[in-house]
Amino acid sequence: MVSSQESTFSSASAAAQVNASALDLLPVYAKELIAGGAAGAFAKTAVAPLERVKILLQTRTEGFQSLGILQSLRKLWQYEGIRGFYKGNGASVLRIVPYAALHYMTYEQYRCWILNNFAPSIGTGPVVDLLAGSAAGGTAVLCTYPLDLARTKLAYQVSNVGQPGNAFGNFGQQQTYNGVKDVFKTVYKEGGTQSLYRGVGPTLIGILPYAGLKFYIYEDLKSQVPEDYKSSVILKLSCGALAGLFGQTLTYPLDVVRRQMQVQSNQPQNSSDGLRIRRTFQGLLLIIRCQGWRQLFAGLSLNYVKVVPSVAIGFTTYDMMKTLLGVPPRERVHASGGNK
């Protein structure tokens, strides 16, 4: 019996050593991809019900135009049950895993490249974070945008509420989708690859300053923290939340334009064709004229409620995953040569 237990313990120890060795073989950027993807998935799923309501408010879905957050959640529960809170979350997680992974990893790569090539002219301060964050945000968006389109179309559907529409009155008969794959097939038939990137213009215009400002403000606020408190998770979460809230407020109208472009039908609308959103700034003016300037900030308060826990969960999960995967602290990596 003793020998059998010793054999089992030895086998478990050997397996643990093999797993540790396999992790050690992974490059740091691969570990960061895994950690960032996991953090994005946990954070996005945790706030999925609020994200669903935000999209319904942004797109002025019938039956939800004049409702508040709690009323909208109750109505979703009434018509679709708990599954309604997570409609489109599968596409959202599929998008956010590669998006978050690419965003964090490419940010480090762009930052390293800028410091190695342009440090004498632009310095090494927060401006580097602004540029690297913007470039990383654009890269992540271009690689994952079709999944964001699918998520929005799925979240826009509400069962048993009547035909959706918005203040333009031009969305026409909306397609019913049965999942991410069905969205891709249907949208691709409408207009090819171009249709899969409908609304990418305002997305890029919004994400470039937002991602850049987020990293810029976060790193700048973090640099003001006394040395004794730099390792405090609470302070890091506070800096990240403030950076996210500030960036969201400045770029939120572009997010509203993007959502309304995504849910537009690609079919000709004849008499109402002039009320279709075709370009970013034309969309901004059209929404102001037809829906009022307040619509550009529809769901913003909900976004504030969503951003804080999302940032907190994202940072916490990211730190835990980095520890689990054996990723060295950022300061140590930069100090050893910056090859991250």
Side-chain angles (χ1 to χ4, degrees), residues 161-184:
V161 178
Q163 185 61 41
N166 79 346
F168 298 150
N170 66 327
F171 284 2
Q173 187 70 23
Q174 293 296 310
Q175 175 74 38
T176 299
Y177 304 103
N178 297 317
V180 179
K181 184 178 179 180
D182 187 35
V183 173
F184 286 159

Side-chain angles (χ1 to χ4, degrees), residues 19-54:
N19 289 335
S21 299
L23 286 176
D24 290 339
L25 292 175
L26 287 175
V28 172
Y29 74 84
K31 295 179 181 180
E32 289 180 338
L33 283 171
I34 297 171
F42 277 109
K44 184 61 71 173
T45 301
V47 298
L50 297 176
E51 180 70 19
R52 176 86 198 277
V53 170
K54 186 191 78 169

Side-chain angles (χ1 to χ4, degrees), residues 185-198:
K185 288 174 60 178
T186 305
V187 173
Y188 186 80
K189 287 180 181 178
E190 287 180 357
T193 304
Q194 184 177 357
S195 291
L196 292 173
Y197 281 86
R198 187 184 303 140

Side-chain angles (χ1 to χ4, degrees), residues 8 54-55 66 91 98 107 123 138 146 164 169 175 183 187 202 213 265 271 292 295 300 308 336:
T8 302
K54 186 191 78 169
I55 290 175
S66 59
Y107 161 72
Q175 175 74 38
V183 173
V187 173
L213 282 170
S265 171
S271 61
Q295 180 60 26
L300 180 58
V308 174
S336 63

Side-chain angles (χ1 to χ4, degrees), residues 263-331:
V263 299
Q264 281 183 153
S265 171
N266 200 42
Q267 303 302 323
Q269 300 294 322
N270 300 323
S271 61
S272 60
D273 196 46
L275 297 179
R276 292 172 60 80
I277 299 177
R278 301 182 181 280
R279 295 177 302 277
T280 304
F281 293 106
Q282 175 257 349
L284 287 170
L285 295 175
L286 188 61
I287 289 174
I288 292 173
R289 177 161 61 89
C290 297
Q291 303 175 21
W293 67 268
R294 293 179 183 275
Q295 180 60 26
L296 293 177
F297 296 93
L300 180 58
S301 60
L302 178 61
N303 219 40
Y304 287 152
V305 175
K306 180 176 72 74
V307 163
V308 174
S310 178
V311 170
I313 294 169
F315 269 103
T316 303
T317 306
Y318 185 61
D319 285 340
M320 291 175 62
M321 287 298 296
K322 286 200 298 182
T323 301
L324 182 64
L325 295 171
V327 178
R330 181 183 300 174
E331 291 78 12

Side-chain angles (χ1 to χ4, degrees), residues 27-138:
V28 172
Y29 74 84
K31 295 179 181 180
E32 289 180 338
L33 283 171
I34 297 171
F42 277 109
K44 184 61 71 173
T45 301
V47 298
L50 297 176
E51 180 70 19
R52 176 86 198 277
V53 170
K54 186 191 78 169
I55 290 175
L56 293 175
L57 292 175
Q58 285 181 325
T59 55
R60 295 178 67 85
T61 303
E62 184 177 331
F64 289 84
Q65 297 99 320
S66 59
L67 298 183
I69 297 172
L70 294 178
Q71 290 175 311
S72 296
L73 289 171
R74 278 197 293 266
K75 190 163 189 175
L76 275 177
W77 175 271
Q78 177 185 353
Y79 285 109
E80 300 182 349
I82 192 170
R83 294 183 64 181
F85 293 152
Y86 295 93
K87 182 180 285 187
N89 188 58
S92 184
V93 170
L94 282 175
R95 179 192 72 90
I96 204 62
V97 168
Y99 178 85
L102 283 171
H103 200 175
Y104 282 107
M105 189 273 290
T106 56
Y107 161 72
E108 296 291 350
Q109 296 296 321
Y110 283 130
R111 190 176 191 279
C112 181
W113 180 76
I114 292 172
L115 288 173
N116 288 338
N117 294 276
F118 302 100
S121 56
I122 65 175
T124 59
V127 173
V128 175
D129 299 300
L130 178 68
L131 298 174
S134 296

